[in-house]
Amino acid sequence: VQLQASGGGSVQRGESLRLSCTASMFDMDYYAVGWFRQAPGKEREGVSCIDSTSSNDVTYYADAVKGRFAIFRDKAENMLYLQMNSLKPEDTAVYYCATDYQYDCNNWQSDYWSQWGQGTLVTVSS
């Protein structure tokens, strides 16, 4: 699988960005996929996960982004998105999409994800 995140940029506090993740050799709708980020000098952390265990996508979010970020798929385009609203300087990080060929998001914030795309940098200034 080849994953590629894009859509990052430099924005001001309170603004929005939408990140995209494309995939080749991979059905984005068939497996759980997640968004992660790594801020300068910090460990990588989970941002959001969307599963594939039912017809209704179940989504999960880190506490730091709940209510501000939304993960969703475009099944027709085989794309994954992360809509980020009300951005804060602490959201500054390189963002990655990932999968591990699992169907659910159990323990999604653990470090088991095996397939990673190249990241995209998000910079939020105050």
Side-chain angles (χ1 to χ4, degrees), residues 10-17 84-88 124:
S10 296
V11 297
Q12 299 284 325
R13 176 193 290 270
E15 293 185 342
S16 299
L17 278 175
M84 306 188 297
N85 299 326
S86 302
L87 283 161
K88 304 176 181 180
V124 185

Side-chain angles (χ1 to χ4, degrees), residues 97-113:
C97 50
T99 188
D100 193 58
Y101 300 109
Q102 306 287 336
Y103 302 112
D104 58 50
C105 291
N106 291 345
N107 300 311
W108 67 277
Q109 291 175 299
S110 301
D111 190 22
Y112 66 79
W113 299 76

Side-chain angles (χ1 to χ4, degrees), residues 26-48:
F26 180 75
D27 185 340
M28 196 73 81
D29 188 39
Y30 195 68
Y31 297 104
V33 283
W35 284 100
F36 298 79
R37 66 186 182 187
Q38 186 165 20
K42 295 187 177 182
E43 292 188 354
R44 187 170 58 201
E45 63 176 356
V47 175
S48 184

Side-chain angles (χ1 to χ4, degrees), residues 32-121:
V33 283
W35 284 100
F36 298 79
R37 66 186 182 187
Q38 186 165 20
K42 295 187 177 182
E43 292 188 354
R44 187 170 58 201
E45 63 176 356
V47 175
S48 184
C49 182
I50 184 168
D51 78 359
S52 63
T53 56
S54 70
S55 58
N56 298 316
D57 292 335
V58 181
T59 57
Y60 303 81
Y61 298 94
D63 289 343
V65 306
K66 276 181 185 175
R68 300 188 297 121
F69 289 14
I71 186 172
F72 59 98
R73 294 182 178 104
D74 183 323
K75 299 174 183 179
E77 297 295 324
N78 198 35
M79 297 280 290
L80 175 72
Y81 296 97
L82 183 70
Q83 178 66 41
M84 306 188 297
N85 299 326
S86 302
L87 283 161
K88 304 176 181 180
E90 50 264 46
D91 295 319
T92 294
V94 178
Y95 284 71
Y96 302 88
C97 50
T99 188
D100 193 58
Y101 300 109
Q102 306 287 336
Y103 302 112
D104 58 50
C105 291
N106 291 345
N107 300 311
W108 67 277
Q109 291 175 299
S110 301
D111 190 22
Y112 66 79
W113 299 76
S114 61
Q115 308 297 318
W116 295 88
Q118 288 187 311
T120 185
L121 176 63

